[in-house]
Amino acid sequence: MEMLLANPGSTERTRVRRIPELAVRDRSALHAVLDAGLVGHLGVADAGRPYVLPVAYARVEETVLFHGSSASRLFRLCAAGVPVCFTVTELDGLVLARSAFESSMNYRSAMVLGHCGVLHGRTKERALRQISEHLMPGRWEEIRKPSAQELKATAVLELPLDECSLKISADGPSDEPADRELPVWAGRLPLTRQWGDPVPAEDLDPAHARIPAYIDRWRQRTS
Ligand SMILES: Cc1cc2nc3c(=O)[nH]c(=O)nc-3n(C[C@H](O)[C@H](O)[C@H](O)COP(=O)(O)OP(=O)(O)OC[C@H]3O[C@@H](n4cnc5c(N)ncnc54)[C@H](O)[C@@H]3O)c2cc1C
């Protein structure tokens, strides 16, 4: 049976109230933001206190996948089924207004609320490959795969994209009419992410010094 998923921002908890015109209710836009990011922040409460930690992730269809140490507090709490809040933020630039009050940022920002499920067996191994392929596309085939012991030490979680929101800010400054007369430059300063030059490991065998083609492909991409 086909699963019917609500659009971002369509529950009471995820409806964007502050500047609602920046809310985006399109699932494909949500997918695009999650696919563009490499790092998200996973928030949980432990003994009534919030903790928000950065994590790598991958979106696969209508879920987000995470991997981490089975011993970490974050992963133990998530595996136990506590409510989580996961966010991904892509900073796209500064909005340089003529006043401090109107100065802001351009961004794409996604939030997912829900509970994680724990993956096991083949699904867990497939998820590890999918996370690797999101972060380092093309590399999984050539690196050593996790051993049984490494798999045991690693928890793999999935969070369904059921209850989500998406907020995108892309415009220039919106100054008060009186401020437009001020002798101050105003506009947008876009920010793009770009990989630097690869730095070989000190113990790299010269026989393996050739930079893989997939690294060149990553370096041609900007976000
Ligand atoms: C890079 C960046 C920098 C920001 N800097 C500031 C800042 O300095 N000061 C400031 O006030 N705000 C800032 N924001 C906006 C901030 O994230 C909130 O949207 C805003 O503060 C309103 O908060 P609220 O609790 O009133 O949101 P509400 O609109 O009441 O939130 C209701 C629901 O809307 C959704 N929602 C709200 N904000 C977001 C979001 N950003 N992304 C995805 N879903 C969202 C959530 O599901 C949330 O539960 C920034 C956002 C980004 C991405």
Side-chain angles (χ1 to χ4, degrees):
M1 196 174 74
E2 195 186 332
M3 205 169 33
L4 280 178
L5 290 163
N7 280 329
S10 52
T11 66
E12 197 45 31
R13 294 192 298 191
T14 58
R15 184 167 58 78
V16 176
R17 294 166 177 81
R18 179 87 196 108
I19 324 189
E21 58 274 24
L22 300 185
V24 177
R25 295 174 58 86
D26 174 9
R27 286 196 79 79
S28 60
L30 175 77
H31 292 172
V33 171
L34 294 173
D35 293 351
L38 298 175
V39 174
H41 288 83
L42 195 50
V44 293
D46 186 19
R49 298 194 70 94
Y51 295 88
V52 178
L53 294 162
V55 286
Y57 71 93
R59 178 194 70 89
V60 175
E61 295 170 4
E62 298 299 343
T63 63
V64 182
L65 304 172
F66 309 105
H67 68 333
S69 165
S70 311
S72 93
R73 175 180 63 178
L74 176 70
F75 278 78
R76 278 190 287 111
L77 284 168
C78 290
V82 302
V84 305
C85 175
F86 175 63
T87 63
V88 170
T89 305
E90 291 290 283
L91 181 60
D92 291 329
L94 293 175
V95 179
L96 302 165
R98 295 161 183 91
S99 68
F101 186 82
E102 292 294 347
S103 299
S104 64
M105 290 173 163
N106 284 147
Y107 57 78
R108 290 160 287 153
S109 166
M111 177 185 284
V112 186
L113 301 176
H115 299 82
C116 292
V118 184
L119 301 184
H120 300 281
R122 301 295 289 268
T123 326
K124 174 178 180 176
E125 289 176 46
R126 187 170 61 234
L128 288 171
R129 177 172 56 75
Q130 288 166 323
I131 295 168
S132 175
E133 281 299 300
H134 173 59
L135 302 172
M136 308 176 284
R139 191 158 171 79
W140 184 259
E141 288 311 319
E142 100 185 13
I143 53 180
R144 179 179 65 75
K145 309 301 176 286
S147 65
Q149 200 180 355
E150 288 166 342
L151 282 172
K152 201 172 161 200
T154 307
V156 182
L157 305 172
E158 71 173 352
L159 175 64
L161 292 177
D162 285 338
E163 195 174 5
C164 319
S165 57
L166 180 62
K167 201 169 168 181
I168 297 183
S169 169
D171 291 339
S174 154
D175 278 304
E176 294 294 328
D179 288 342
R180 293 185 196 142
E181 309 296 322
L182 293 170
V184 184
W185 187 89
R188 292 184 299 117
L189 186 61
L191 178 69
T192 49
R193 187 173 64 205
Q194 181 68 60
W195 296 113
D197 293 331
V199 180
E202 282 176 13
D203 57 1
L204 186 69
D205 184 333
H208 305 140
R210 199 168 155 270
I211 307 291
Y214 53 76
I215 293 188
D216 288 333
R217 286 197 291 276
W218 306 344
R219 297 183 69 225
Q220 281 157 21
R221 280 189 331 207
T222 52
S223 75

